[in-house]
Amino acid sequence: MPLTQSQIADVPGGAFNVDEDEIDAPFAVAPIPAQYDGDGGHTQENVGKIIARCRQEGVPPVDYLQQFNSAPPRKTKLSSMKRLFDTKNSRDALRLLSDRRFITIDDDFKLNPTGELDMLMHMSGHFLDYVMYMGNRRGLDAALPNINVNHTMEFRLNLNMTHRLWPTSNTGDLPFIPTGRMMCIGSRMQENIWLAMVPKTILERNCTERVHLNSDTLDAPTSAMTREHSLMITMFFAHILHSMRFQDVHCIEKYPELTTHGVKHSTNILNASCTVAQMDACLICMGYANMQLALMLSSSCAMFRMLHIAFRNLWKNWVRQAPELWKRDQFLLDNYPVALTMRYGQNQDLRRSSNSTQVERENWNKDHDYEHVMLFSFSLASHINFSVVHEWANVPPEVILAREGNVFTAPPGHHGRQEIEDLENYDLLDEDGKEIPIYTAEGYMVLRRAPPNNRSTSGGAFLDLTKAPTLFVLEDAEEDFNIRAVPCYLYPLAFTKTLGNMQADGLIHSFQQQLPLINRNLSTHLAGHDEDDNDSLFGDMNDNHNPMDGQPILQGLRCQAYNSLSHRVCERIKFHSVQLGRITAAVSGCTATGVSAVSKWERCLQECEFMLPHEQFHVKVTGGSQPQSMRFENTYRLEVSAMMPEDKNGSVVYDRVITPLLRTWMHPDVQRSVRQVLVPLAADVVPGIFEWTTYPITCFLQLSWDNLLPQLQQPDVSIDPHVIEIISVFERVLNYAHTGAAHVLIRALMDRTWTSLGLMFDGFPCVWGRFLNHDELVRNNIRIYSEQWPLDTSTQRPITSSRRVQELTYGCKHYESYIARFTILHAMKNLPQHVYVDVGDPCKRLACFAAEVGLRVYIEDVKHLVSEAVSKELRDLFLDEDDQINAELIRNRDLALQRWCDSMNPLSYTESTLMDLIRAVSDHRDEDPHLRDPQLGTQTLSFFVGKIITVCKQGNTRRQPPFIQDGKALPVLKMTIAEIRQAALSARVPADSISSFTSHAFILACKKLKINHIPWVHPRDRGAGAPSTYISHKVWLSVGAAEPPPVADAVGYRTPEETSRALVRKSSQRLIAGDPSGAWSALQVKLLHFHTVLHKAVLPLECSMANVNIPKTSPDYISSMYHWVLQNFDMTKPIHFLALFASTAFSGLLPAIHSPSDHSLLNRHSEDSRMQYIRSLPWIEKNRKGSTDPSPFIFMFTAYILGFYETSSPVGERIRKAECLRKWLDKNSAKGMTLLSLCRFGLASPRNNGVFHAGQWGKDVIALLDSTLAGKRDAVVEYLRSSPEYGAFDAIQYLAGSTTAMALVENGSGYVKARPMAQASGSSSNSASAKRMVNIFTEDDDISTSADATAVTCTGPYKRPRLS
């Protein structure tokens, strides 16, 4: 199950508390340790499909799968694996990993493979493994014993275990969903006592309606009660004990503030000083060290009953008097506290001998008072052994009759069934020498002979996984269909693929068929019928008949079958050592920081130095008398509430439930179905097969450890992450060999290395030669091909296998530092080609990439800070908010928070992103929502980067701004800076330049990530004291330019949501507009407000690849040209500025962006006269697709212009090399962008009339000089700055002529605003232009010249600047 924040220990690094030493859940066939949980593994369903020879559907035809499928698997005998292990031939064992293989079991390892010997399948013991009791009313009924005096019974009340979670495997045992309802409050002997807040409706409904009622769900991350709810229950217990006048327990205030401090201030139940007081009925011991209150009953159980009675009597009044704040979420009002007890792992013997039956019955009767128990869940485990019998001894008939009573020739319901009157003379064997079976009245088989001591050879067994699903196939299912009654999950062991364990969500079908008969016996009194002495438990009745109304009293919940050796190697702990990734923890912890993390690493190192995990396993399974029998474990639920009152006691449960269930294993149908799915193995094969088959894996782990140990013993060492990950992969493979749990196989990494593919499809692991050099491996050298390592496509981080091990051992911060270093080191060898392509120096490219890796962790810290703080604020506000309008605004804040967290660059000044941030962090009731100013002025990126480098250089570990409390970025960026410095030294960067080299790399990374502002500390008060280092989510420091004047917003009536959005927009626009790297939109600015973006250093939002449609058949240089513009645009270059300005004007002309095609009457030969004619041409519209949306034209026309001027661009290089540009020209001319368009905007000079046709660059049209372009840029800028209202009109008139300027005015899109005199003159001029277009330019050509002259003289007092 996923871990929550409540399970994180309060230690440096945020390491997790993972309890691996005590069993706190029922034994599972293949438990997943937290170290291997949640990493995207295979599913157990896929294992079953592959075992059944059903390949997964929809497998993508990727290279590694094709290569895997083309490699044929080879057969390897188990005897060969044993020989390698016995001779310690590690070289040949490692060689096995290079090919696909499958293991076959030799006959020598099977028990009686030929069937010639007598083989007996027999039950070798029954055990009680798990019990769970739940009361049927509020109170502690489930923990009450059925006695008043017991000198050994002990109850412990411990209210400091609120973090403990209810086992997920037991969720289905409850009639409610336990999420947010469970609290462990202590223990009763060996049973844990839990308090569940059960919905009142559950307790009010009858038995049949309660079963699996899972509709009432609380909003909580786990089964544990929330902090506030658990403190409420703690205060209720304090109130009870105070009312009972227990010494040293007091309760000053019944309803304090719901914080740990508030509760401790009100009562000493959590932190009382050490006292021991002897009382009449109990001993109270309250210790601060272990923080528990124990009620240890020394003479009677009366005191615990008094606690139970007080619990029941005081609850209602205590809830009624509770403040409304405590009851606002209805938790106390809608639920009742009900005790549950649970015990697991005791493996208690049942019916070991006939002499123990009476003692067991008495113990069951005393253990629990069933009067107010709702349900009782329990697990019964039965061991099945196989023995080859060398000699038989007959059981005397009188012994059989005395023990079983009357015996019969067949089970009940069988035709021809007769009672055997003379058992002594009844034939023992048939003609084939097989024993003739006889049966009891209930239908159980009776053994008539048994092997005497030392006259049989026992072995072990595994399930045949190819047949195991047949245990759950319905008897009446059609032969062509594999219809299972319940889901069944298969767990192959020891790399055999077809031998192993099994789990199912129900009982095997032959066993399930017997439950109605047990239920009939239980429900006889419930139905009001008299018992029929002639009707046996398995009497002559229709098995499909159910005499009960509703659900049966006894139900089978689930079952599992596994070899008992698994229970042996981890009997008292959750997992044995080969499951936990100990070697991975030892080799990855050498870079741990902090006292706690370093201490853990030293312990891991010492543990592995003493004995590696597989060596510990060897010690456990070495020697004789190892358990090897198959253990079938069934879990049941008994609805005690449905039983008659006189039957609600332990004796009836033992006699009518436990005993019949155990004897059912002797039913012939059950024996027959189980026998056919078991594979008997010779003695000691079961413990040996794990070591023989895993020997290649343990050889690799031993080799890795031996090679790395000398390095680990040196100070300040770090291990290659590729080696750490391959070790982790092999430890996961070893885990799979012992458990068969496919979830530990990480698909993203282990499929590509072939390890998991080999395990899934062949049973045996292999490693693809593209990842590991097998020739070097057999020479005891580990060489990994890092270039083949798979990367996460979204983050470009290498995919890892060790994440959970490192996080749970050393903390999340440690792993973040590790994965950042892994990413950087991997990039050093395999730097992606698409990152920082505009940076020429390879070392600088790597430094920028490394800086980006570290900064991304910082951004995640910022997102976590904002998300946690705002979410907590919104939860509290939402519970208190009654006004629907304000409640809607709260929800809108939450949606804004989600959008901001999901944005690509959350620290950017992109308007939508910034609006979402302001909306999320600002109080929705504020009239002017905004981000608070830290009163440091506007800073630069250099300030931000300098702070990072300064803090990371310091010797102490004290966090300072800009690093966030409890964040992960500080250790990551320390490591990042160290790696950048090391790379710079390796590249021979001068020592005195490394600091600036590092800073510049970080600044470039900040620009790519669009970091425009960062969270900061609150402004320092005037009072004395050190400045705060606590980063606030409400205070943000700008690292761009000063903010511009506020933009006026529309006034008028708005809804509360519209008003809030408008205020947020104003605040965000103020911040964005002043930052040179802040996002901006050319379509919003247009030409009218272009003077407000003259300081911008970035392209507008419209310049995006999303706005360019490039056919797949287009040559690569076309796409490269647009990418070049995005990476190399420089607003300080005149042609870049003019291209963007002209493109913005060009988009404003839409859809009239074309020039007339008929120029037959043109009779101008000089360049000046030709240029005057071009400037006077009208803009016309043509019916072309894609000429309505202006966004693409800004980017496309900019790229078109720069392609001719920038010789280093992809288009410029082709022009320089005289290569064909036909595709480029055709693409742009279709959109109206031609060489004539360049001339019309004054950005090129026409040399001849070829400009009006398919002109050529450099021949018909030539570029302007750099000095000319610079002069034009200066003139345009001066026009824009000279008049905010009319400057844009003047600038475009100067650049492209009055015809173009007036066309923009008349387009009505607000791109420019014409001067009044120009408007009047321009109207007639434009009308004349229209007439010329109709008459195909029949008027005198001087009109264009005079119009141009008129426009110049009518522009008012602003004179055209002199061109340099």
Side-chain angles (χ1 to χ4, degrees):
M1 69 185 69
L3 292 168
T4 64
Q5 291 296 323
S6 62
Q7 296 170 272
I8 301 178
D10 187 17
V11 297
F16 293 90
N17 279 328
V18 181
D19 180 10
E20 298 162 357
D21 297 325
E22 297 180 0
I23 290 286
D24 64 357
F27 183 86
V29 163
I32 306 296
Q35 286 86 341
Y36 291 150
D37 190 22
D39 279 321
H42 279 277
T43 65
Q44 222 59 43
E45 289 83 352
N46 283 344
V47 175
K49 290 179 181 178
I50 295 172
I51 289 175
R53 295 177 175 82
C54 296
R55 291 273 180 151
Q56 302 178 60
E57 298 179 358
V59 177
V62 293
D63 180 56
Y64 68 91
L65 282 177
Q66 293 175 348
Q67 295 286 339
F68 179 81
N69 290 328
S70 63
R74 300 181 179 182
K75 181 176 71 172
T76 301
K77 294 183 178 181
L78 183 60
S79 57
S80 300
M81 303 298 297
K82 183 179 185 300
R83 183 171 58 255
L84 291 174
F85 178 80
D86 291 340
T87 59
K88 303 304 177 187
N89 187 349
S90 60
R91 180 186 297 267
D92 288 345
L94 290 171
R95 205 184 302 275
L96 296 178
L97 298 173
S98 61
D99 300 307
R100 291 181 59 183
R101 296 182 182 276
F102 61 93
I103 295 177
T104 60
I105 310 296
D106 309 58
D107 285 347
D108 293 343
F109 297 105
K110 297 178 182 178
L111 189 67
N112 191 26
T114 62
E116 297 176 354
L117 303 175
D118 282 343
M119 187 168 64
L120 174 67
M121 186 183 83
H122 56 96
M123 310 304 298
S124 58
H126 303 285
F127 306 90
L128 178 68
D129 196 61
Y130 151 75
V131 294
M132 191 274 287
Y133 295 86
M134 175 182 170
N136 65 358
R137 60 179 184 174
R138 71 175 183 274
L140 308 176
D141 291 284
L144 293 177
N146 194 28
I147 52 175
N148 292 322
V149 178
N150 189 315
H151 295 283
T152 61
M153 186 164 288
E154 175 184 299
F155 297 85
R156 287 183 176 270
L157 184 65
N158 186 346
L159 302 178
N160 284 278
M161 299 189 293
T162 57
H163 65 279
R164 296 196 65 175
L165 304 181
W166 184 262
T168 54
S169 59
N170 291 43
T171 300
D173 298 4
L174 302 174
F176 58 90
I177 294 179
T179 303
R181 300 182 181 275
M182 311 301 292
M183 178 177 172
C184 187
I185 62 172
S187 61
R188 168 198 183 273
M189 301 297 288
Q190 296 181 359
E191 296 178 11
N192 287 330
I193 304 177
W194 294 76
L195 197 70
M197 291 298 288
V198 180
K200 292 181 178 179
T201 53
I202 297 293
L203 302 178
E204 294 168 359
R205 294 187 175 98
N206 60 43
C207 170
T208 58
E209 292 176 328
R210 278 200 312 267
V211 175
H212 294 300
L213 185 67
N214 288 327
S215 57
D216 300 307
T217 306
L218 297 182
D219 183 14
T222 66
S223 61
M225 293 184 192
T226 63
R227 187 67 174 165
E228 291 79 8
H229 292 165
S230 64
L231 290 175
M232 292 179 188
I233 300 301
T234 299
M235 286 309 305
F236 178 58
F237 273 103
H239 172 59
I240 295 175
L241 296 175
H242 179 73
S243 302
M244 295 174 65
R245 301 300 183 260
F246 275 152
Q247 294 181 4
D248 295 327
V249 180
H250 64 259
C251 181
I252 301 174
E253 182 182 355
K254 290 193 295 184
Y255 309 104
E257 181 184 1
L258 287 175
T259 62
T260 303
H261 175 76
V263 170
K264 288 185 176 181
H265 180 74
S266 177
T267 178
N268 64 343
I269 196 170
L270 294 180
N271 59 353
S273 59
C274 291
T275 60
V276 178
Q278 183 69 42
M279 301 182 65
D280 292 339
C282 71
L283 177 69
I284 305 177
C285 175
M286 295 170 293
Y288 182 76
N290 59 5
M291 302 182 78
Q292 71 176 10
L293 173 68
L295 309 178
M296 298 182 293
L297 306 190
S298 57
S299 60
S300 72
C301 300
M303 186 57 66
F304 189 78
R305 289 189 179 275
M306 288 176 58
L307 179 65
H308 162 68
I309 293 171
F311 189 103
R312 285 187 48 76
N313 293 338
L314 296 177
W315 173 260
K316 284 190 174 181
N317 284 333
W318 182 80
V319 172
R320 186 181 300 112
Q321 297 171 12
E324 290 302 319
L325 182 64
W326 286 40
K327 297 185 287 188
R328 64 182 180 178
D329 62 355
Q330 302 293 309
F331 181 74
L332 296 178
L333 300 177
D334 293 345
N335 304 285
Y336 275 143
V338 178
L340 296 89
T341 64
M342 185 165 58
R343 181 182 177 189
Y344 24 71
Q346 65 264 37
N347 214 31
Q348 176 185 334
D349 272 319
L350 292 173
R351 298 182 62 86
R352 174 60 68 179
S353 65
S354 57
N355 298 330
S356 65
T357 302
Q358 183 58 33
V359 176
E360 289 180 11
R361 181 183 296 107
E362 292 177 359
N363 290 337
W364 276 80
N365 193 45
K366 295 176 182 178
D367 193 49
H368 275 274
D369 184 349
Y370 288 79
E371 181 180 1
H372 292 290
V373 170
M374 174 188 292
L375 57 86
F376 166 45
S377 293
F378 56 97
S379 293
L380 300 179
S382 301
H383 287 197
I384 298 178
N385 266 16
F386 286 88
S387 299
V388 172
V389 181
H390 307 292
E391 180 180 335
W392 291 99
N394 295 340
V395 180
E398 59 273 15
V399 173
I400 295 176
L401 295 174
R403 185 176 60 204
E404 306 293 349
N406 296 337
V407 293
F408 298 83
T409 59
H414 191 276
H415 180 70
R417 179 187 189 225
Q418 296 179 352
E419 182 178 351
I420 301 174
E421 297 180 356
D422 186 4
L423 181 59
E424 185 173 357
N425 294 318
Y426 190 74
D427 290 340
L428 177 65
L429 304 176
D430 60 15
E431 296 178 354
D432 297 327
K434 303 294 183 181
E435 180 180 334
I436 298 175
I438 62 174
Y439 305 88
T440 66
E442 293 83 3
Y444 302 123
M445 289 181 62
V446 178
L447 294 178
R448 303 177 64 188
R449 57 179 183 166
N453 293 337
N454 301 322
R455 299 306 298 167
S456 63
T457 303
S458 297
F462 278 131
L463 280 173
D464 183 343
L465 299 184
T466 63
K467 298 178 180 178
T470 62
L471 291 171
F472 305 94
V473 175
L474 303 177
E475 292 180 354
D476 55 351
E478 295 184 21
E479 192 172 317
D480 294 337
F481 295 91
N482 190 22
I483 303 176
R484 300 181 193 172
V486 295
C488 171
Y489 307 100
L490 308 178
Y491 299 86
L493 299 180
F495 298 154
T496 59
K497 184 181 177 180
T498 59
L499 300 180
N501 300 332
M502 171 272 295
Q503 270 185 332
D505 295 337
L507 306 186
I508 62 177
H509 183 66
S510 59
F511 205 106
Q512 180 69 35
Q513 291 296 94
Q514 316 310 320
L515 292 192
L517 307 177
I518 301 178
N519 274 304
R520 172 184 288 271
N521 185 268
L522 287 173
S523 61
T524 300
H525 295 291
L526 185 63
H529 298 155
D530 293 328
E531 290 190 48
D532 184 357
D533 294 336
N534 296 324
D535 187 14
S536 66
L537 178 61
F538 294 97
D540 297 324
M541 59 174 291
N542 185 352
D543 288 346
N544 295 325
H545 173 66
N546 187 353
M548 295 183 59
D549 295 328
Q551 295 290 340
I553 295 177
L554 178 66
Q555 302 173 63
L557 299 180
R558 56 187 176 273
C559 74
Q560 55 186 3
Y562 54 93
N563 191 276
S564 56
L565 183 72
S566 301
H567 211 276
R568 146 94 173 97
V569 295
C570 53
E571 184 173 0
R572 290 177 297 176
I573 56 176
K574 298 178 188 177
F575 312 102
H576 52 81
S577 54
V578 295
Q579 293 180 258
L580 299 175
R582 295 298 196 199
I583 303 177
T584 303
V587 297
S588 64
C590 56
T591 56
T593 58
V595 176
S596 177
V598 171
S599 177
K600 289 182 178 181
W601 172 63
E602 291 175 346
R603 289 198 301 270
C604 289
L605 193 61
Q606 292 171 2
E607 179 183 336
C608 289
E609 282 184 292
F610 175 71
M611 192 178 293
L612 293 177
H614 59 270
E615 295 173 328
Q616 296 181 34
F617 179 80
H618 174 73
V619 171
K620 286 187 176 182
V621 300
T622 299
S625 303
Q626 295 288 342
Q628 303 172 53
S629 57
M630 277 303 295
R631 180 180 172 103
F632 281 80
E633 190 175 292
N634 292 342
T635 302
Y636 310 89
R637 177 171 56 210
L638 182 67
E639 292 285 348
V640 180
S641 294
M643 299 172 66
M644 293 295 291
E646 60 269 23
D647 290 344
K648 294 181 180 181
N649 59 74
S651 298
V652 172
V653 171
Y654 182 79
D655 290 336
R656 298 190 187 178
V657 178
I658 303 300
T659 299
L661 286 174
L662 298 181
R663 297 198 68 184
T664 300
W665 284 106
M666 294 303 297
H667 192 277
D669 292 344
V670 175
Q671 290 255 314
R672 183 168 52 253
S673 63
V674 170
R675 180 188 291 269
Q676 67 183 4
V677 300
L678 293 178
V679 178
L681 298 174
D684 297 325
V685 169
V686 171
I689 194 173
F690 287 98
E691 295 196 282
W692 306 334
T693 58
T694 61
Y695 186 59
I697 304 301
T698 57
C699 282
F700 181 89
L701 294 173
Q702 187 72 57
L703 172 63
S704 303
W705 178 253
D706 292 342
N707 289 349
L708 295 177
L709 183 58
Q711 300 180 49
L712 294 170
Q713 293 171 337
Q714 300 297 320
D716 300 326
V717 67
S718 58
I719 307 299
D720 183 358
H722 296 94
V723 176
I724 294 176
E725 294 308 317
I726 205 71
I727 289 174
S728 178
V729 165
F730 273 77
E731 287 206 284
R732 286 178 178 267
V733 170
L734 189 59
N735 181 302
Y736 182 82
H738 285 269
T739 66
H743 190 69
V744 305
L745 307 178
I746 302 178
R747 301 187 63 176
L749 176 59
M750 298 180 68
D751 277 7
R752 285 159 178 79
T753 61
W754 286 14
T755 48
S756 57
L757 293 178
L759 290 170
M760 298 284 286
F761 287 96
D762 305 324
F764 193 81
C766 59
V767 183
W768 196 8
R770 288 191 183 181
F771 279 86
L772 191 64
N773 188 318
H774 291 281
D775 293 334
E776 290 292 325
L777 185 61
V778 297
R779 299 187 186 98
N780 294 336
N781 298 318
I782 299 176
R783 181 183 174 188
I784 302 168
Y785 298 123
S786 62
E787 63 272 13
Q788 297 294 333
W789 203 272
L791 304 178
D792 187 319
T793 55
S794 61
T795 64
Q796 291 303 305
R797 286 181 168 189
I799 296 175
T800 64
S801 168
S802 65
R803 179 180 69 88
R804 292 292 288 171
V805 171
Q806 295 195 51
E807 287 182 344
L808 295 174
T809 309
Y810 306 113
C812 296
K813 295 180 182 179
H814 174 88
Y815 175 75
E816 285 297 333
S817 179
Y818 167 85
I819 187 59
R821 177 174 175 268
F822 191 4
T823 305
I824 295 168
L825 293 179
H826 184 80
M828 286 182 177
K829 303 176 183 178
N830 315 279
L831 185 64
Q833 295 297 320
H834 64 278
V835 299
Y836 297 95
V837 292
D838 54 328
V839 179
D841 181 17
C843 182
K844 178 61 72 67
R845 284 184 66 211
L846 176 63
C848 293
F849 181 77
E852 181 183 337
V853 170
L855 288 171
R856 286 189 182 277
V857 179
Y858 171 78
I859 293 173
E860 288 301 315
D861 282 353
V862 175
K863 290 166 64 175
H864 184 265
L865 168 74
V866 176
S867 179
E868 289 293 314
V870 174
S871 297
K872 183 179 184 304
E873 179 183 347
L874 295 183
R875 283 194 299 268
D876 295 340
L877 287 172
F878 195 79
L879 290 173
D880 293 334
E881 195 61 65
D882 295 329
D883 184 3
Q884 286 190 350
I885 295 179
N886 282 325
E888 182 65 24
L889 291 176
I890 292 173
R891 282 190 285 268
N892 290 333
R893 284 182 62 187
D894 186 53
L895 292 175
L897 175 64
Q898 295 177 28
R899 291 194 300 270
W900 179 79
C901 289
D902 294 338
S903 62
M904 182 176 298
N905 298 298
L907 302 188
S908 72
Y909 273 168
T910 304
E911 182 172 354
S912 59
T913 302
L914 187 57
M915 286 180 59
D916 286 333
L917 175 62
I918 297 175
R919 169 74 59 81
V921 302
S922 301
D923 192 324
H924 58 281
R925 295 162 292 193
D926 288 348
E927 295 183 359
D928 182 19
H930 63 281
L931 301 178
R932 296 181 186 175
D933 185 3
Q935 299 179 8
L936 292 178
T938 302
Q939 299 294 337
T940 62
L941 285 175
S942 298
F943 171 84
F944 172 53
V945 171
K947 285 287 186 182
I948 289 177
I949 295 177
T950 300
V951 175
C952 291
K953 279 183 179 179
Q954 294 174 352
N956 60 50
T957 58
R958 185 172 182 266
R959 179 196 55 80
Q960 295 181 25
F963 292 103
I964 296 169
Q965 51 278 3
D966 300 324
K968 305 172 185 176
L970 180 56
V972 172
L973 284 167
K974 281 185 176 181
M975 181 278 308
T976 301
I977 292 173
E979 293 294 341
I980 292 176
R981 292 179 61 84
Q982 187 61 41
L985 289 172
S986 301
R988 298 183 180 180
V989 175
D992 56 353
S993 301
I994 290 180
S995 179
S996 59
F997 176 87
T998 305
S999 298
H1000 189 230
F1002 270 92
I1003 290 173
L1004 291 177
C1006 287
K1007 289 181 178 180
K1008 179 181 178 182
L1009 297 172
K1010 298 185 179 180
I1011 298 179
N1012 298 124
H1013 62 163
I1014 55 175
W1016 203 252
V1017 300
H1018 283 283
R1020 183 180 180 183
D1021 295 332
R1022 295 183 178 180
S1028 172
T1029 62
Y1030 188 88
I1031 304 295
S1032 171
H1033 70 289
K1034 292 181 177 291
V1035 181
W1036 289 75
L1037 175 65
S1038 174
V1039 289
E1043 70 177 34
V1047 180
D1049 194 42
V1051 184
Y1053 174 78
R1054 299 186 184 97
T1055 64
E1057 164 63 15
E1058 292 172 338
T1059 302
S1060 175
R1061 184 175 182 83
L1063 294 171
V1064 169
R1065 182 184 295 111
K1066 290 175 63 176
S1067 180
S1068 63
Q1069 287 174 343
R1070 287 197 300 267
L1071 290 173
I1072 294 172
D1075 195 293
S1077 58
W1080 65 285
S1081 170
L1083 294 181
Q1084 292 183 5
V1085 172
K1086 302 182 180 179
L1087 296 182
L1088 188 62
H1089 300 292
F1090 210 85
H1091 63 282
T1092 65
V1093 296
L1094 295 177
H1095 64 295
K1096 292 292 185 182
V1098 295
L1099 285 165
L1101 295 174
E1102 289 78 11
C1103 292
S1104 166
M1105 292 303 295
N1107 280 330
V1108 181
N1109 181 21
I1110 303 176
K1112 294 181 179 180
T1113 57
S1114 299
D1116 294 339
Y1117 77 87
I1118 294 180
S1119 175
S1120 299
M1121 182 63 214
Y1122 292 111
H1123 283 288
W1124 186 95
V1125 174
L1126 292 175
Q1127 296 162 3
N1128 295 277
F1129 183 83
D1130 186 353
M1131 190 74 98
T1132 62
K1133 292 183 177 181
I1135 187 57
H1136 288 229
F1137 171 83
L1138 292 172
L1140 181 59
F1141 184 78
S1143 299
T1144 306
F1146 189 76
S1147 67
L1149 294 169
L1150 283 171
I1153 56 174
H1154 301 274
S1155 300
S1157 58
D1158 189 349
H1159 304 281
S1160 58
L1161 300 180
L1162 175 66
N1163 189 22
R1164 304 295 173 93
H1165 300 287
S1166 68
E1167 185 173 330
D1168 289 341
S1169 60
R1170 188 180 300 107
M1171 192 64 193
Q1172 290 178 1
Y1173 173 76
I1174 290 173
R1175 289 166 66 90
S1176 67
L1177 288 175
W1179 294 92
I1180 64 174
E1181 179 181 354
K1182 294 183 179 180
N1183 294 326
R1184 296 286 181 89
K1185 292 184 179 180
S1187 297
T1188 57
D1189 183 9
S1191 299
F1193 288 86
I1194 296 175
F1195 189 21
M1196 293 170 63
F1197 197 33
T1198 300
Y1200 182 73
I1201 296 170
L1202 296 183
F1204 292 112
Y1205 274 92
E1206 291 287 359
T1207 57
S1208 62
S1209 69
V1211 171
E1213 287 183 355
R1214 296 182 71 87
I1215 294 175
R1216 181 165 48 84
K1217 297 177 181 179
E1219 295 178 349
C1220 179
L1221 287 173
R1222 179 54 51 197
K1223 292 287 186 180
W1224 172 254
L1225 297 175
D1226 290 347
K1227 170 181 173 55
N1228 288 282
S1229 62
K1231 298 293 185 181
M1233 290 172 281
T1234 63
L1235 292 178
L1236 179 60
S1237 303
L1238 266 69
C1239 296
R1240 297 196 66 174
F1241 279 97
L1243 299 183
S1245 177
R1247 297 190 63 183
N1248 52 56
N1249 290 347
V1251 67
F1252 300 107
H1253 308 291
Q1256 296 182 16
W1257 182 260
K1259 177 182 177 182
D1260 303 313
V1261 178
I1262 60 174
L1264 301 182
L1265 298 176
D1266 291 342
S1267 58
T1268 303
L1269 292 172
K1272 290 197 173 192
R1273 189 270 313 274
D1274 295 341
V1276 170
V1277 170
E1278 185 169 343
Y1279 276 128
L1280 293 172
R1281 288 175 173 169
S1282 63
S1283 173
E1285 187 173 8
Y1286 303 115
F1289 180 86
D1290 297 339
I1292 200 66
Q1293 182 176 252
Y1294 156 73
L1295 193 65
S1298 59
T1299 301
T1300 301
M1302 292 308 302
L1304 285 169
V1305 172
E1306 294 177 354
N1307 200 345
S1309 54
Y1311 270 73
V1312 296
K1313 183 177 181 181
R1315 294 182 179 277
M1317 294 177 63
Q1319 177 73 35
S1321 175
S1323 297
S1324 60
S1325 174
N1326 196 59
S1327 176
S1329 297
K1331 291 179 180 179
R1332 288 198 302 274
M1333 180 185 69
V1334 174
N1335 296 317
I1336 315 178
F1337 312 104
T1338 57
E1339 290 85 353
D1340 189 342
D1341 293 332
D1342 290 338
I1343 294 178
S1344 62
T1345 305
S1346 61
D1348 192 29
T1350 303
V1352 173
T1353 58
C1354 293
T1355 54
Y1358 302 102
K1359 298 182 179 179
R1360 178 184 302 175
R1362 179 176 297 175
L1363 302 181
S1364 56

